[in-house]
Amino acid sequence: GGGGGGGVVDEASSVKLASRLRVVFLLAFFSSIGICGYLFEEHSLNIFLLGQHSHFGLLQTDSSYRWLADTYGHAWQTKNSASELSHAFMNGMYNPTHARFGPYAAGALLACNVVLAQASAKTNAASGKMGGWSIMSLILSAMALGNLAVPCVPAADEAPLEAQIFATAALRQLSAASAALLLYRALVGSAHAWDSPVIRAVLSFRPLSLVGAVSYPSYLLHFRILEYLNFNGYAMPPPLCDHEARGASCNPTDEAAAWVAYMGRLFVMGALLSLAVSTVFHLTVERPLVAAFRPESKAKRG
């Protein structure tokens, strides 16, 4: 009897805490959009401008020349026209914590909402049809997946300033929120109106579950692994075509094909190496630490 009462108290406390934290993280999420919007500068801190150069150049290639040179002492042998832009963006928008915490707030909101949903008495019958919310969830989920493969913006493209501000200030946060919504629909439980058996089945697919188990260490390690592959000759970018010096001898088709092949090599090698290293980290560091700090582990030690 006493154990059951303790469980009710614990659940009530968890629900109360999740309700309060949800407000905090919701404010943090929208604050992050506001901060990025405030930092936006049309001619420097503008992700749309970076998109007019090679897509991966945002971090590793020609548009990051100065940042790479200053940070790693790496010297490119090709001309670069976007080093100042990338240097400003990396130091002003990409690296600072105050410009990057929005997606973390979305993940925290997901955790709070799952706790509240699982503790609620909502059922499919009581909550009615999802209607427009269902359509919105599909759009946001597709946006999260599509954001992984956004192509370069044509250099001659002139988007409205409002669109440039939106892309810089909110695209990352909304992509994270859409992925969180997809996960929410898989975690709330079959009795909840937002439950999606299809999404739950897809995300329960064994290979995806294994990747999910090592996703956090992979997040921590993958960028350093990509840098290692780039700067140690395993997946070096191809030289950029100097159109001013070589003129017609520069073949844009050949240059594009070389970059596609390079990205393929880097993606495959980076993914395999990241998963391997992350698995070791998960088994030797993450899982033992999580087990050590679980309440039941503390109770046994007590």
Side-chain angles (χ1 to χ4, degrees):
V8 172
V9 172
D10 290 343
E11 181 179 349
S13 300
S14 297
V15 169
K16 188 175 181 179
L17 179 62
S19 298
R20 292 177 175 176
L21 289 178
R22 181 168 65 172
V23 176
V24 174
F25 292 130
L26 187 63
L27 291 174
F29 178 80
F30 285 107
S31 296
S32 70
I33 297 177
I35 290 172
C36 291
Y38 175 78
L39 293 174
F40 173 85
E41 293 179 8
E42 184 178 359
H43 301 294
S44 58
L45 300 184
N46 184 349
I47 199 171
F48 183 87
L49 295 183
L50 284 176
Q52 293 181 335
H53 300 273
S54 57
H55 179 53
F56 199 61
L58 180 67
L59 302 177
Q60 301 271 18
T61 58
D62 60 316
S63 68
S64 295
Y65 175 86
R66 181 176 163 185
W67 182 76
L68 293 172
D70 289 356
T71 307
Y72 298 102
H74 182 73
W76 293 84
Q77 303 303 312
T78 53
K79 243 179 127 173
N80 186 283
S81 61
S83 58
E84 295 291 335
L85 171 65
S86 179
H87 187 263
F89 190 89
M90 293 295 290
N91 287 316
M93 189 74 77
Y94 189 83
N95 288 327
T97 301
H98 62 264
R100 294 293 301 275
F101 66 84
Y104 298 97
L109 274 170
L110 168 65
C112 293
N113 285 331
V114 168
V115 170
L116 295 173
Q118 292 177 344
S120 71
K122 288 182 179 179
T123 64
N124 282 303
S127 299
K129 296 180 179 180
M130 294 174 61
W133 287 104
S134 178
I135 296 174
M136 187 188 76
S137 71
L138 292 175
I139 293 174
L140 290 177
S141 300
M143 191 168 116
L145 299 175
N147 192 51
L148 298 174
V150 175
C152 303
V153 177
D157 192 6
E158 294 294 339
L161 183 61
E162 294 81 5
Q164 298 181 38
I165 296 174
F166 171 80
T168 302
L171 188 58
R172 182 185 299 274
Q173 289 86 336
L174 292 181
S175 296
S178 62
L181 183 56
L182 184 150
L183 291 172
Y184 178 79
R185 298 193 62 195
L187 294 172
V188 290
S190 57
H192 197 276
W194 283 64
D195 173 64
S196 173
V198 174
I199 295 177
R200 185 161 17 94
V202 170
L203 295 181
S204 299
F205 185 49
R206 183 61 176 167
L208 287 181
S209 298
L210 294 175
V211 172
V214 299
S215 60
Y216 184 67
S218 179
Y219 159 74
L220 295 176
L221 300 169
H222 78 281
F223 185 57
R224 185 65 188 89
I225 290 173
L226 292 176
E227 290 172 344
Y228 178 82
L229 292 173
N230 262 313
F231 304 134
N232 288 276
Y234 296 101
M236 282 294 290
L240 297 174
C241 192
D242 190 342
H243 294 272
E244 293 183 8
R246 293 170 54 191
S249 63
C250 283
N251 189 325
T253 302
D254 292 342
E255 185 180 12
W259 275 97
V260 170
Y262 154 67
M263 288 298 297
R265 291 194 305 273
L266 185 64
F267 178 82
V268 172
M269 295 173 66
L272 293 176
L273 190 56
S274 294
L275 287 175
V277 176
S278 300
T279 299
V280 173
F281 187 93
H282 172 69
L283 295 175
T284 60
V285 179
E286 183 184 23
R287 195 158 70 175
L289 285 175
V290 170
F293 284 93
R294 279 178 177 163
E296 54 267 28
S297 299
K298 293 182 180 180
K300 289 179 181 178
R301 289 199 300 269

